[in-house]
Amino acid sequence: LILSLAGDVLLMLPDRFVEGLAAFLGAHVLYLLAFRSRSGLSVTPPLLAAYALVSATMVLVLWPGLGALRLPVALYGAALGGMAWQAAEGWRRGRDRSRLLALAGGLLFMASDSFLAVDRFRWDLPGRDLLVLGTYWPAQMLLAWSVLGSTRAAGDRPCRAPAISG
Protein backbone atom coordinates (compact mmCIF):
# COMPACT_ATOMS: atom_id res chain seq x y z
CA LEU A 1 0.00 0.00 0.00
CA ILE A 2 2.90 2.35 0.71
CA LEU A 3 4.31 1.77 -2.78
CA SER A 4 0.87 2.40 -4.28
CA LEU A 5 0.58 5.63 -2.31
CA ALA A 6 4.01 6.66 -3.60
CA GLY A 7 2.83 5.82 -7.12
CA ASP A 8 -0.30 7.93 -6.65
CA VAL A 9 1.74 10.92 -5.50
CA LEU A 10 4.35 10.55 -8.24
CA LEU A 11 1.70 10.31 -10.96
CA MET A 12 0.29 13.65 -9.80
CA LEU A 13 3.66 15.36 -10.26
CA PRO A 14 4.81 16.62 -13.65
CA ASP A 15 7.44 14.45 -15.34
CA ARG A 16 7.28 11.65 -12.74
CA PHE A 17 5.20 9.14 -14.70
CA VAL A 18 7.94 6.50 -15.00
CA GLU A 19 8.75 6.76 -11.30
CA GLY A 20 5.05 6.40 -10.45
CA LEU A 21 4.81 3.39 -12.71
CA ALA A 22 7.86 1.87 -11.01
CA ALA A 23 6.29 2.33 -7.58
CA PHE A 24 3.12 0.57 -8.72
CA LEU A 25 5.19 -2.15 -10.36
CA GLY A 26 6.84 -2.75 -6.99
CA ALA A 27 3.43 -2.93 -5.31
CA HIS A 28 2.25 -5.53 -7.83
CA VAL A 29 5.40 -7.60 -7.30
CA LEU A 30 4.81 -7.54 -3.55
CA TYR A 31 1.17 -8.58 -3.98
CA LEU A 32 2.32 -11.37 -6.29
CA LEU A 33 4.85 -12.54 -3.69
CA ALA A 34 2.15 -12.49 -1.02
CA PHE A 35 -0.11 -14.66 -3.20
CA ARG A 36 2.81 -16.97 -4.01
CA SER A 37 3.67 -17.41 -0.32
CA ARG A 38 0.15 -18.69 0.25
CA SER A 39 -0.31 -20.92 -2.79
CA GLY A 40 3.06 -21.33 -4.45
CA LEU A 41 3.51 -20.40 -8.09
CA SER A 42 0.78 -22.01 -10.17
CA VAL A 43 0.51 -22.29 -13.92
CA THR A 44 -2.75 -23.21 -15.57
CA PRO A 45 -2.06 -22.65 -19.30
CA PRO A 46 -5.57 -21.45 -20.26
CA LEU A 47 -5.66 -19.04 -17.31
CA LEU A 48 -2.17 -17.75 -18.12
CA ALA A 49 -3.19 -17.33 -21.77
CA ALA A 50 -6.31 -15.37 -20.83
CA TYR A 51 -4.46 -12.89 -18.60
CA ALA A 52 -1.57 -12.59 -21.07
CA LEU A 53 -4.02 -11.90 -23.88
CA VAL A 54 -5.80 -9.17 -21.93
CA SER A 55 -2.50 -7.55 -20.89
CA ALA A 56 -1.01 -7.74 -24.37
CA THR A 57 -4.18 -6.39 -25.96
CA MET A 58 -4.16 -3.40 -23.62
CA VAL A 59 -0.53 -2.62 -24.43
CA LEU A 60 -1.27 -2.93 -28.16
CA VAL A 61 -4.26 -0.58 -27.86
CA LEU A 62 -2.06 1.96 -26.07
CA TRP A 63 1.04 1.41 -28.26
CA PRO A 64 0.47 4.24 -30.80
CA GLY A 65 0.21 6.84 -28.03
CA LEU A 66 3.06 5.63 -25.83
CA GLY A 67 6.13 6.94 -27.67
CA ALA A 68 9.17 6.66 -25.39
CA LEU A 69 7.05 5.04 -22.68
CA ARG A 70 6.50 1.82 -24.65
CA LEU A 71 8.97 -0.31 -22.71
CA PRO A 72 8.02 0.93 -19.21
CA VAL A 73 4.31 0.54 -19.93
CA ALA A 74 4.80 -2.94 -21.44
CA LEU A 75 6.81 -4.05 -18.37
CA TYR A 76 4.22 -2.59 -16.05
CA GLY A 77 1.41 -4.28 -17.98
CA ALA A 78 3.19 -7.62 -17.63
CA ALA A 79 3.60 -7.12 -13.87
CA LEU A 80 -0.02 -6.08 -13.41
CA GLY A 81 -1.23 -9.00 -15.50
CA GLY A 82 1.08 -11.37 -13.62
CA MET A 83 -0.22 -10.21 -10.25
CA ALA A 84 -3.84 -10.58 -11.33
CA TRP A 85 -3.11 -13.96 -12.94
CA GLN A 86 -1.55 -15.35 -9.77
CA ALA A 87 -4.53 -14.08 -7.76
CA ALA A 88 -6.76 -16.04 -10.15
CA GLU A 89 -4.50 -19.10 -9.86
CA GLY A 90 -4.83 -18.91 -6.09
CA TRP A 91 -8.63 -18.89 -6.37
CA ARG A 92 -8.48 -21.88 -8.73
CA ARG A 93 -6.38 -23.85 -6.23
CA GLY A 94 -8.29 -23.05 -3.06
CA ARG A 95 -11.64 -21.32 -2.98
CA ASP A 96 -11.63 -19.41 0.25
CA ARG A 97 -12.63 -15.85 1.11
CA SER A 98 -9.09 -14.49 1.02
CA ARG A 99 -8.41 -15.85 -2.45
CA LEU A 100 -11.75 -14.56 -3.74
CA LEU A 101 -10.84 -11.07 -2.47
CA ALA A 102 -7.49 -11.31 -4.26
CA LEU A 103 -9.14 -12.44 -7.50
CA ALA A 104 -11.64 -9.57 -7.41
CA GLY A 105 -8.94 -7.06 -6.44
CA GLY A 106 -6.68 -8.15 -9.28
CA LEU A 107 -9.46 -7.85 -11.84
CA LEU A 108 -10.52 -4.43 -10.54
CA PHE A 109 -6.91 -3.18 -10.59
CA MET A 110 -6.58 -4.25 -14.22
CA ALA A 111 -9.82 -2.43 -15.03
CA SER A 112 -8.76 0.72 -13.18
CA ASP A 113 -5.39 0.93 -14.88
CA SER A 114 -6.96 0.19 -18.25
CA PHE A 115 -9.40 3.09 -17.85
CA LEU A 116 -6.62 5.41 -16.74
CA ALA A 117 -4.26 4.37 -19.54
CA VAL A 118 -6.85 4.61 -22.31
CA ASP A 119 -7.74 8.11 -21.17
CA ARG A 120 -4.13 9.21 -20.88
CA PHE A 121 -2.68 7.65 -24.03
CA ARG A 122 -5.50 7.05 -26.53
CA TRP A 123 -8.92 8.65 -26.14
CA ASP A 124 -10.74 10.93 -23.74
CA LEU A 125 -12.82 8.62 -21.60
CA PRO A 126 -16.11 10.11 -20.39
CA GLY A 127 -16.51 9.58 -16.65
CA ARG A 128 -12.84 8.69 -16.32
CA ASP A 129 -12.50 9.75 -12.69
CA LEU A 130 -15.52 7.73 -11.61
CA LEU A 131 -14.36 4.70 -13.60
CA VAL A 132 -10.77 4.87 -12.38
CA LEU A 133 -11.41 5.65 -8.72
CA GLY A 134 -14.50 3.47 -8.57
CA THR A 135 -12.33 0.46 -9.45
CA TYR A 136 -8.95 1.52 -7.98
CA TRP A 137 -9.97 2.01 -4.35
CA PRO A 138 -11.99 -1.21 -4.13
CA ALA A 139 -9.09 -3.04 -5.82
CA GLN A 140 -6.60 -1.81 -3.22
CA MET A 141 -8.99 -2.60 -0.39
CA LEU A 142 -9.72 -6.11 -1.65
CA LEU A 143 -6.05 -6.90 -2.29
CA ALA A 144 -5.03 -5.67 1.16
CA TRP A 145 -7.88 -7.59 2.81
CA SER A 146 -6.89 -10.72 0.90
CA VAL A 147 -3.37 -10.58 2.27
CA LEU A 148 -4.64 -9.81 5.78
CA GLY A 149 -7.12 -12.68 5.47
CA SER A 150 -4.38 -15.11 4.43
CA THR A 151 -2.27 -14.00 7.40
CA ARG A 152 -5.17 -14.65 9.77
CA ALA A 153 -5.72 -18.05 8.20
CA ALA A 154 -2.07 -18.85 8.88
CA GLY A 155 -2.64 -18.33 12.59
CA ASP A 156 -1.39 -14.80 13.09
CA ARG A 157 -3.54 -12.65 15.30
CA PRO A 158 -4.86 -9.46 13.75
CA CYS A 159 -3.74 -6.17 15.23
CA ARG A 160 -6.43 -4.57 17.34
CA ALA A 161 -6.63 -1.00 18.51
CA PRO A 162 -6.66 -0.66 22.28
CA ALA A 163 -10.04 -0.04 23.83
CA ILE A 164 -10.65 3.58 24.76
CA SER A 165 -12.52 4.12 27.95
CA GLY A 166 -13.85 7.36 28.84
Side-chain angles (χ1 to χ4, degrees), residues 64-138:
L66 292 176
L69 296 173
R70 286 178 172 165
L71 180 60
V73 169
L75 289 173
Y76 176 78
L80 173 60
M83 178 277 296
W85 164 55
Q86 281 302 297
E89 288 282 1
W91 170 248
R92 188 192 62 76
R93 288 185 67 185
R95 297 192 177 204
D96 59 28
R97 179 179 172 272
S98 175
R99 289 179 171 108
L100 179 59
L101 295 174
L103 170 66
L107 290 170
L108 285 172
F109 217 121
M110 288 183 77
S112 174
D113 280 6
S114 296
F115 295 138
L116 185 64
V118 164
D119 184 76
R120 181 175 181 126
F121 295 111
R122 288 295 293 193
W123 308 287
D124 288 336
L125 191 60
R128 179 201 71 148
D129 291 343
L130 179 62
L131 291 169
V132 171
L133 295 177
T135 51
Y136 174 70
W137 289 112

Side-chain angles (χ1 to χ4, degrees), residues 41-85:
L41 183 66
S42 300
V43 179
T44 305
L47 200 52
L48 170 59
Y51 278 85
L53 179 63
V54 170
S55 296
T57 300
M58 182 51 57
V59 171
L60 288 174
V61 165
L62 300 174
W63 198 258
L66 292 176
L69 296 173
R70 286 178 172 165
L71 180 60
V73 169
L75 289 173
Y76 176 78
L80 173 60
M83 178 277 296
W85 164 55

Side-chain angles (χ1 to χ4, degrees), residues 2 14 23 30 36 46 52 72 87 103 111 136 161 164:
I2 291 169
L30 291 177
R36 186 174 163 251
L103 170 66
Y136 174 70
I164 299 174

Side-chain angles (χ1 to χ4, degrees), residues 13 22 25 28-29 33-34 42 51 56 68 74-75 85 125 131 143 145:
L13 299 174
L25 186 142
H28 293 313
V29 168
L33 291 173
S42 300
Y51 278 85
L75 289 173
W85 164 55
L125 191 60
L131 291 169
L143 289 169
W145 282 348

